[in-house]
Amino acid sequence: MYNKMIKRTFNRKTYIILIVISLLIFSQVCEGCSFFNNKEKLTASNSKKITLSDEKTMMDTINSICTVSRAIGSSGEKKTCEVLKKQIQSYGYETQVQMVPYEYREQDQEKTGESQNLIAIKKGTSKHSKGTIIVSAHYDCEENSIGANDNASGVAVVMEVARLLNKSSNDYEVRFILFGGEELASTGSRYYISQLSDNDRKNIKANINIDSIAQKDHVNPCIFTVSGKGNFATTLLKNNSKNKDIILKKMNRERSDYVVFDKCGIPSLCIGQSYDENLNINGPQDKISIIDKTKLKLVADMIITAMSK
Ligand SMILES: [Zn+2]
């Protein structure tokens, strides 16, 4: 009787183990089948798992470029372009540095030289691309500043969005552009637009520009458009339930990058803090210690959630 029980228990246990092993082998074999892969993709797409931004990575970017002033045409601006080029290449992008010759004359000012725009492109992953979206920020600053908020903060966000979006699928081509020479009449963005073919320009559906977003003890950044009304760029940004309550304001800061795009008919917006006397930009007070990293994260996550498919 005892022997019989042992035998029966052993047989049942062996039977269960064999079933488990068979199921494991079956699942491994089927992993390569399209049915299981499709199922996996559907699950991934439906649950919309989005990797959000990392504050430390963005602060590292700010620390790495705020070592020098980056005034238009300066060695600091050129060196910073190289630093950012290597960083974005390390995320898997091919880059283009567009040289920007400039001659600026106004009243008693005369400035000539060469700046540069840094461009990295993420091609659309669907067969029928819906067009191009630009995510941009200027990386230059005034001579007497290291431009931590204006605009290393915007650069840090563009770099972080590029890092996180590189692996995701997207119906749009996304161009990450860091413009030089914004502080001198938006030299970099004006030159970039002047070099576009008609077709390329028509294909650009939106410009999301980030400029001065992260000063401590100042208001949270909001969205500005030239008209104060929504456009395709604002629709894109609100393309997620978390972003629906974003505040939209009117601002027409002539000579800002988003205004340059708007003027040539490309739907454009700027994410920034309100420009008032309490905003510490364009001077020595714009240093790293005034940066609030939670504001960097707020803006980066806003763009990442809107653009993740
Ligand atoms: Zn700025």
Side-chain angles (χ1 to χ4, degrees), residues 98-117:
Q98 179 183 47
M99 301 315 291
V100 180
Y102 63 90
E103 276 186 34
Y104 180 80
R105 283 184 189 85
E106 193 176 83
Q107 293 163 359
D108 56 343
Q109 274 201 74
E110 184 175 331
K111 292 183 179 180
T112 59
E114 199 170 51
S115 178
Q116 51 280 307
N117 295 328

Side-chain angles (χ1 to χ4, degrees), residues 138 140-141 149-151 182-183 209-212 253 256-257 275 281-282:
H138 73 86
D140 66 306
C141 63
N149 193 32
D150 187 12
N151 186 31
E182 191 267 358
E183 301 292 359
N209 184 250
I210 305 132
D211 196 345
S212 309
R253 283 193 87 217
S256 288
D257 290 334
Y275 288 87
I281 57 171
N282 300 336

Side-chain angles (χ1 to χ4, degrees), residues 5 20 63 81 88 114 160 216 220 223 275 281 290:
M5 270 181 72
V20 170
N63 281 311
C81 184
I88 206 162
E114 199 170 51
E160 183 65 349
K216 275 178 195 163
N220 271 343
I223 298 179
Y275 288 87
I281 57 171
I290 71 161

